[in-house]
Amino acid sequence: MTTKRELGRAAFALGIAVAALGAASPLAGQDVDPRWLPWLGCWQPAAEAGDADLICVRPTDVPLAVEILRVSGSDVVASEMVWGDGRRHETTRESCTGWEEGAFSEDGRRLFLNSSFTCEGGVTQEGGGILAMASPAVWLDVRVAGMSGENMAWVQRFQAADPEVAEAAGFGDLFLDRAWS
């Protein structure tokens, strides 16, 4: 027969185990806006095969922002901070200064992006886009950029990277079970 004392010990041990698992999580100690949760983890271009770069999205110490990393092999080759708070953030990219902003749609499945930069010689760069979560395992990156009156648009489709691929690149801790909330 199980005693109250044994049940208490089992509950205490379970609590310790849950706390230990939580501490090992990449989200432990971070206040991540729940709208970012479906985006977290590593992704690969859907049209590419083989050694295509991974895109890994990880939380930052800013609750309404994430860092999007482009990973080649196990090397981070590019990094971009993306905000979802609807406010302009002053930033510098290469020799250009300006602002970027991102705002979530009401359902949290789309992020609307805008930016404006002034570069050396007074050249302006304007940009906009939408990051859209098409399903728990697929998202679209639709962007347009303009410089000196010339515009260019592109679309990329990303699918969830295999956990083994993310692990080999050093980002296995970002793999999360993706499901609509």
Side-chain angles (χ1 to χ4, degrees):
M1 180 172 169
T2 304
T3 66
K4 286 184 179 179
R5 177 182 228 154
E6 289 171 327
L7 286 175
R9 286 183 185 157
F12 177 75
L14 180 61
I16 295 295
V18 168
L21 286 173
S25 164
L27 302 179
Q30 294 182 340
D31 187 20
V32 178
D33 185 299
R35 296 173 295 184
W36 281 120
L37 293 178
W39 307 86
L40 298 180
C42 291
W43 305 83
Q44 59 195 34
E48 301 291 329
D51 295 331
D53 290 347
L54 284 179
I55 301 297
C56 295
V57 181
R58 68 180 178 188
T60 67
D61 57 354
V62 179
L64 289 168
V66 295
E67 185 177 24
I68 299 179
L69 306 168
R70 195 171 113 227
V71 182
S72 181
S74 60
D75 297 323
V76 175
V77 296
S79 172
E80 175 185 14
M81 179 81 91
V82 178
W83 290 271
D85 60 4
R87 292 187 278 168
R88 288 185 177 183
H89 295 269
E90 301 296 322
T91 189
T92 301
R93 294 227 174 161
E94 298 173 15
S95 61
C96 306
T97 59
W99 57 266
E100 297 175 313
E101 67 182 5
F104 278 104
S105 64
E106 200 170 301
D107 66 5
R109 294 184 183 172
R110 290 172 307 284
L111 184 72
F112 301 100
L113 304 171
N114 286 299
S115 64
S116 180
F117 290 91
T118 302
C119 304
E120 289 180 17
V123 176
T124 59
Q125 293 181 356
E126 304 271 328
I130 300 173
L131 303 181
M133 187 61 64
S135 75
V138 175
W139 64 277
L140 303 171
D141 184 349
V142 181
R143 307 266 184 133
V144 63
M147 182 185 298
S148 301
E150 297 291 321
N151 292 325
M152 181 174 79
W154 66 95
V155 176
Q156 283 189 289
R157 182 174 180 254
F158 295 98
Q159 62 191 20
D162 292 328
E164 298 81 24
V165 173
E167 181 70 37
F171 291 92
D173 63 335
L174 289 179
F175 181 77
L176 300 170
D177 185 25
R178 292 180 176 85
W180 292 116
S181 54

